[in-house]
Amino acid sequence: MKRLVILGGGYGGLRIIERVLSPDLPDDVFITLVDRMPFHGLKTEYYALAAGTTPEAHLRVNFPSDPRLTVKYGEVTAVDLDEQVVNFANGDALSYDWLVIGLGCEDRYHDIPGADQFTCSIQTMGATRNTYMAINNVNPYGTVTVVGGGLSGVEMAAELRESRPDLNVRIIDRGPSILSPFPKKLQEYASQWFIEHEVQLVSMANVTGVEPGVVYNHNQPVPSDVIVWTAGIQANRIVRALPIETDNIGRAKLNQYHQIPTHPNVYVVGDCASTITAPSAQTAEIQGDQIALMLKKDIKGEEYPASLPPLKHKGFLGSLGKKEGFASMGKVSLVGQMARVIKSGQLWMYKKHMG
């Protein structure tokens, strides 16, 4: 018996399972998916759950059902690369012949005092539930501050503005404009949207500390009933603890086949993998396609291709509430209702396909 273990039922892990579970999979290969949740959570939409505009049930997708696939629920505590064993919080251990690590990312707090203790997160389903409850308990005329003006922060603030028009909403960002990695047209469109919807934009910020109900910008207190942290990510702590080479945010440095160079039977996918493209569901799925190809080569004992195609995105989509959005597709930037329709359609297609 040969065992393929996949840690994490996210976008990359599910893509690999979908591709590997083909009719030509040998009978002696068994696949085990490990996840802490009994379903795939649509992480790109967690902001809507936190804002209260989308119920949790709409963000759940069932894991694949196949007699060749076993799903194990549990909390991974460590991976022993030399012994080829995954260890769990309850004392269980799971051996593997091939391993895929797709455990996702965690918030990165940049060593800012109090940020990890006194802010809310949308990185996991559990954390997002807590964020929803915290925001839901804010009285009218209260204030919610979103720290970080990237895609997650922008979508969070916009959705919250539509969900709770009674609240004061602000975005604090260290750059000169929100959505700084995106084209100028999208930055300006989103900024104007927030101005028109009375969301305060604080640029060139320097968050120096967080206390209960207060975030400090350049050491000046900014009172807030709830503080939502979207100001950076880092690789899952399991990957950061591995005795391997990592980048500045703890992601595994890999060879061209998405393998840990010292342990080529271990692949890393998604936010745990150091790639030249920005972390995203799209990156994870493209990686997943390529890793599945390599795993099939491993399983059949076939030679690897000389190289793999570079990771190439089709574009990025973002929402500003339920009616407007923005998109960047190659050299084309799209804003307004059509961009939001495209994003909604893409989400519908994904859920229909995976379901």
Side-chain angles (χ1 to χ4, degrees):
M1 183 180 73
K2 297 178 181 178
R3 173 167 285 174
L4 164 62
V5 174
I6 299 174
L7 304 183
Y11 295 96
L14 287 192
R15 179 59 66 90
I16 292 169
I17 290 172
E18 180 186 17
R19 297 291 190 258
V20 173
L21 283 176
S22 56
D24 61 344
L25 182 69
D27 293 337
D28 63 344
V29 176
F30 292 84
I31 303 175
T32 301
L33 168 64
V34 175
D35 203 283
R36 61 161 70 105
M37 299 192 301
F39 52 82
H40 166 52
L42 298 174
K43 187 176 180 180
T44 59
E45 307 302 307
Y46 281 2
Y47 69 89
L49 172 60
T53 60
T54 300
E56 181 179 321
H58 290 185
L59 303 184
R60 296 182 178 186
V61 176
N62 291 332
F63 289 137
S65 177
D66 190 290
R68 299 167 294 177
L69 174 68
T70 299
V71 182
K72 177 178 175 59
Y73 305 117
E75 188 74 29
V76 177
T77 56
V79 174
D80 190 323
L81 297 176
D82 294 328
E83 296 296 325
Q84 298 187 184
V85 170
V86 178
N87 296 310
F88 293 84
N90 65 356
D92 286 354
L94 182 63
S95 61
Y96 62 84
D97 294 287
W98 301 284
L99 179 69
V100 176
I101 302 176
L103 292 170
C105 61
E106 302 173 358
D107 287 305
R108 187 184 183 200
Y109 297 104
H110 310 282
D111 297 322
I112 296 172
D116 60 336
Q117 296 174 275
F118 306 118
T119 65
C120 295
S121 171
I122 55 173
Q123 283 298 334
T124 67
M125 181 70 85
T128 304
R129 292 189 191 111
N130 293 335
T131 300
Y132 163 73
M133 288 190 290
I135 292 174
N136 206 43
N137 288 331
V138 176
N139 292 325
Y141 309 118
T143 300
V144 175
T145 296
V146 178
V147 181
L151 181 59
S152 295
V154 163
E155 291 188 312
M156 176 75 233
E159 201 80 5
L160 183 57
R161 164 49 71 228
E162 289 197 351
S163 171
R164 293 287 305 272
D166 57 291
L167 297 179
N168 299 301
V169 181
R170 74 164 63 91
I171 299 176
I172 292 180
D173 188 62
R174 65 181 179 180
S177 171
I178 57 174
L179 298 177
S180 56
F182 288 79
K184 193 73 173 177
K185 177 181 178 180
L186 304 188
Q187 296 177 31
E188 293 173 350
Y189 179 81
S191 297
Q192 187 60 37
W193 189 96
F194 283 121
I195 292 171
E196 292 174 358
H197 290 79
E198 298 182 336
V199 172
Q200 182 185 5
L201 299 178
V202 180
S203 58
M204 303 304 293
N206 179 26
V207 176
T208 51
V210 183
E211 294 178 356
V214 181
V215 56
Y216 289 88
N217 179 23
H218 294 282
N219 295 318
Q220 298 301 309
V222 181
S224 305
D225 293 281
V226 171
I227 304 162
V228 181
W229 191 267
T230 64
I233 60 171
Q234 59 186 340
N236 184 283
R237 64 195 63 194
I238 302 301
V239 173
R240 302 203 311 269
L242 291 175
I244 61 173
E245 187 178 4
T246 59
D247 63 15
N248 66 323
I249 57 173
R251 300 180 302 177
K253 290 190 176 182
L254 308 172
N255 62 21
Q256 64 170 321
Y257 301 113
H258 310 292
Q259 301 163 328
I260 294 177
T262 54
H263 296 79
N265 64 327
V266 180
Y267 296 83
V268 185
V269 67
D271 295 342
C272 291
S274 183
T275 63
I276 60 173
T277 57
S280 68
Q282 189 177 167
T283 296
E285 290 191 326
I286 297 171
Q287 270 190 291
D289 283 332
Q290 296 187 357
I291 290 173
L293 173 65
M294 303 316 302
L295 283 168
K296 287 188 171 185
K297 298 288 187 184
D298 288 338
I299 291 169
K300 296 177 181 179
E302 298 176 352
E303 290 188 8
Y304 287 1
S307 62
L308 293 174
L311 302 179
K312 187 176 181 181
H313 284 163
K314 295 179 181 178
F316 293 94
L317 298 166
S319 65
L320 294 170
K322 298 299 186 190
K323 296 181 179 179
E324 295 187 59
F326 50 90
S328 176
M329 296 170 284
K331 296 181 179 180
V332 178
S333 295
L334 186 66
V335 298
Q337 291 184 343
M338 183 54 66
R340 188 65 178 90
V341 168
I342 293 173
K343 181 179 179 182
S344 297
Q346 184 188 55
L347 178 62
W348 182 85
M349 288 289 290
Y350 180 84
K351 291 173 68 176
K352 181 178 175 63
H353 171 69
M354 292 306 300

